[in-house]
Amino acid sequence: MRGLSGGPRSGPGRVGVRAAVPAVAGAVAVAVLLAGCTAGGTGARDEGPARAESVTVPAASPSPSVSSAKAAGRVDAVRLVKNDPQVSAEVKRELKPCVADEYPVDVSYGDLTGGPAEDIVVNVLTCGDAVGVGSYVYREENGWYQHVFKAEEPPVYAEIDRGDLVVAKQVYEKDDTVSVPSGENVITYRWTSGRFVEKYRTHNDYSNAVGTGASPVPDS
């Protein structure tokens, strides 16, 4: 899993964080082809599973086959996010190239909803610290990408784990630095009856002693 703020700590179970938001009706055309990089910053806040009235976003080709969608399976994630009316204006404003034409987005493809083609998970990050500022899930139906999940409370990061959507959110206390959070909340969502439903929630506290000094030399 990718760390949120440039990998604050090493070790298993370190995930990024994400959540969902209200839906806005409308359809927007987008092209097919990948865009990848790392990071774009904001302070937008929103969390929770997508609602039934979520917006549909059209794919480039009017009706791609399942095989071509999975093989080519690469979407212009930057255009997808920028053209999505459910993405906050703040996230869109911060979604700019970090270097040349490389944008701060991580894109994952996999089966989350049991649809005809792979679902798309897009994480928008900050260029400097790779802090997750927005996570989105899109489901392809009849050549259209439907927005089905959104999380915009940084630091947040979403991933696909054995068919479930795992959203990780790091927790900061008063004197914590961006690179050293106090803990992390991890929420597992499962696609049920046409929407993502929370199934599990765990909290991890990080040790403040780790990484604060040199490791002792073992006795010979």
Side-chain angles (χ1 to χ4, degrees):
M1 295 184 182
R2 183 189 183 94
L4 286 189
S5 50
R9 306 240 177 162
S10 60
R14 299 293 185 259
V15 205
V17 185
R18 311 304 175 262
V21 105
V24 181
V28 199
V30 287
V32 172
L33 229 120
L34 168 71
C37 167
T38 169
T42 174
R45 295 182 179 275
D46 204 347
E47 172 178 0
R51 313 236 161 80
E53 65 271 23
S54 53
V55 169
T56 52
V57 181
S61 53
S63 181
S65 66
V66 174
S67 59
S68 65
K70 289 189 175 182
R74 297 299 174 260
V75 169
D76 187 337
V78 173
R79 290 187 63 187
L80 190 63
V81 171
K82 286 188 173 183
N83 290 332
D84 185 350
Q86 295 195 60
V87 175
S88 71
E90 190 171 2
V91 170
K92 292 180 180 180
R93 187 166 53 248
E94 296 296 334
L95 186 52
K96 302 174 182 178
C98 297
V99 177
D101 59 349
E102 295 184 350
Y103 284 81
V105 295
D106 283 348
V107 186
S108 300
Y109 300 86
D111 185 9
L112 283 171
T113 69
E118 290 180 317
D119 301 302
I120 304 169
V121 177
V122 182
N123 287 292
V124 179
L125 314 169
T126 62
C127 289
D129 300 316
V131 173
V133 296
S135 300
Y136 312 93
V137 179
Y138 297 93
R139 169 186 166 92
E140 192 273 332
E141 291 184 10
N142 300 319
W144 294 70
Y145 287 109
Q146 182 182 25
H147 177 134
V148 293
F149 190 91
K150 166 182 176 178
E152 291 184 332
E153 185 175 349
V156 61
Y157 200 90
E159 295 182 306
I160 300 171
D161 183 7
R162 292 169 291 185
D164 289 335
L165 176 66
V166 179
V167 175
K169 187 174 301 184
Q170 291 180 342
V171 177
Y172 291 87
E173 295 185 358
K174 183 178 179 180
D175 296 326
D176 290 345
T177 62
V178 172
S179 60
V180 186
S182 292
E184 178 182 67
N185 292 322
V186 181
I187 308 168
T188 300
Y189 293 95
R190 187 166 297 163
W191 186 257
T192 305
S193 300
R195 67 195 298 267
F196 282 106
V197 176
E198 180 178 334
K199 302 300 291 185
Y200 312 105
R201 179 183 290 259
T202 61
H203 174 79
N204 302 312
D205 285 325
Y206 296 160
S207 171
N208 292 327
V210 175
T212 57
S215 301
V217 178
D219 296 333
S220 57

